[in-house]
Amino acid sequence: LAKPWIERCSSYFGVAVSPTGNDASTECSFEEELRCSEQWMYVPLTNTPEESKKATMMFLFDIRSTSQLGAGLSILQTIFICFAVGIGAMSFSHDVNTLLLNPIERMISKMEAIKDNPLYAMKLGDIEYRREEIETARRKEELARMSRCWKLFYMGYNMKKVKEPMETAILEKTIIKLGGLLALGFGEAGAEIIGQNMRGGTAGVNAMVPGQKVDAIIGFCNIRNFGDATEVLK
């Protein structure tokens, strides 16, 4: 080498082979400028004992570019993992809200409404029926406006979607039907008994709930020989 070996690194003397090296400096450029992870050391391993006693060569290489590339790739990997975990959490949260939490909240709200007014169950059944009819009509209109290819895709997607109803949807419709049957079976007079028993904190049923005075108009219609007429019509 043409440059003098004036740099002292621990017990070694050497020279920095770099275009930016300072020829007049005696400080160890590797210890001053590089971290341990940015150095790559090579030592000859085939020296004889006699050669090792005389002199030992050691080569240190600057691998800052490789370390910076590895650091950049690690940052990108971390960003990708955070992005993937965030997307997975959002997808999981959306599925949980759509398939579990929202149906349960709807069922709870309907149970609260039926508890406050048992006759409201019949109205809930009508609302649910109208909603299904509107949804069916909307699908038919969308299907009529689509081309043939989009019709096949849309029909296949909806067949997969409504192939098997969710248990939460079945339970929600069952609650509405049971409430409607209670309202039909007990009528308006028994609705107050049902409501007060449902609002109570016990599991028992108290049929002797204090009643309320109501004003009513009773109509009476007498059809002569009605029994004979029904026998003949049968």
Side-chain angles (χ1 to χ4, degrees):
L1 297 175
K3 296 181 181 180
W5 291 27
I6 58 175
E7 291 192 8
R8 183 177 180 85
C9 300
S10 298
S11 59
Y12 290 88
F13 288 92
V15 60
V17 185
S18 63
T20 58
N22 188 3
D23 297 337
S25 176
T26 59
E27 297 180 354
C28 184
S29 58
F30 274 86
E31 293 179 355
E32 295 292 332
E33 300 177 6
L34 301 178
R35 303 182 182 93
C36 295
S37 61
E38 297 174 347
Q39 303 176 11
W40 202 294
M41 181 178 63
Y42 288 93
V43 178
L45 302 177
T46 57
N47 288 348
T48 60
E50 290 76 10
E51 292 175 343
S52 299
K53 292 178 182 179
K54 293 180 181 179
T56 301
M57 300 291 292
M58 182 174 63
F59 301 92
L60 290 174
F61 291 92
D62 183 2
I63 58 170
R64 279 181 290 187
S65 59
T66 306
S67 299
Q68 292 173 0
L69 178 61
L73 293 176
S74 299
I75 293 173
L76 292 177
Q77 182 182 9
T78 304
I79 294 173
F80 174 77
I81 292 173
C82 294
F83 182 76
V85 171
I87 293 296
M90 291 172 60
S91 176
F92 178 77
S93 176
H94 177 267
D95 292 340
V96 170
N97 290 331
T98 303
L99 302 178
L100 185 62
L101 296 181
N102 291 339
I104 290 177
E105 290 178 356
R106 286 199 304 268
M107 284 188 284
I108 292 174
S109 63
K110 290 175 181 177
M111 286 295 296
E112 292 289 337
I114 294 174
K115 181 184 72 173
D116 296 335
N117 183 13
L119 295 177
Y120 187 69
M122 300 179 65
K123 186 176 180 181
L124 282 177
D126 295 337
I127 292 173
E128 186 69 18
Y129 177 75
R130 286 198 299 268
R131 188 187 65 81
E132 292 178 356
E133 291 294 325
I134 293 172
E135 184 68 19
T136 303
R138 185 184 62 82
R139 289 180 180 176
K140 289 181 179 180
E141 290 179 0
E142 290 180 355
L143 195 61
R145 292 195 299 265
M146 292 180 182
S147 61
R148 182 174 298 179
C149 296
W150 281 107
K151 282 183 180 179
L152 295 175
F153 175 77
Y154 185 80
M155 292 174 64
Y157 175 76
N158 283 282
M159 284 179 64
K160 292 181 180 179
K161 188 175 180 181
V162 299
K163 184 178 181 181
E164 184 176 353
M166 298 295 297
E167 288 79 1
T168 52
I170 296 174
L171 185 59
E172 186 177 357
K173 292 181 180 179
T174 303
I175 290 173
I176 296 175
K177 290 180 180 179
L178 288 176
L181 290 174
L182 282 175
L184 288 174
F186 287 90
E188 187 173 356
E192 186 66 24
I193 299 175
I194 298 172
Q196 291 192 19
N197 279 278
M198 291 181 68
R199 286 191 292 270
T202 62
V205 178
N206 182 17
M208 304 304 294
V209 176
Q212 295 180 354
K213 183 179 179 180
V214 296
D215 297 327
I217 299 176
I218 300 174
F220 177 75
C221 180
N222 185 14
I223 302 177
R224 296 179 180 179
N225 301 323
F226 182 73
D228 297 337
T230 54
E231 290 293 331
V232 172
L233 293 175
K234 184 177 67 174

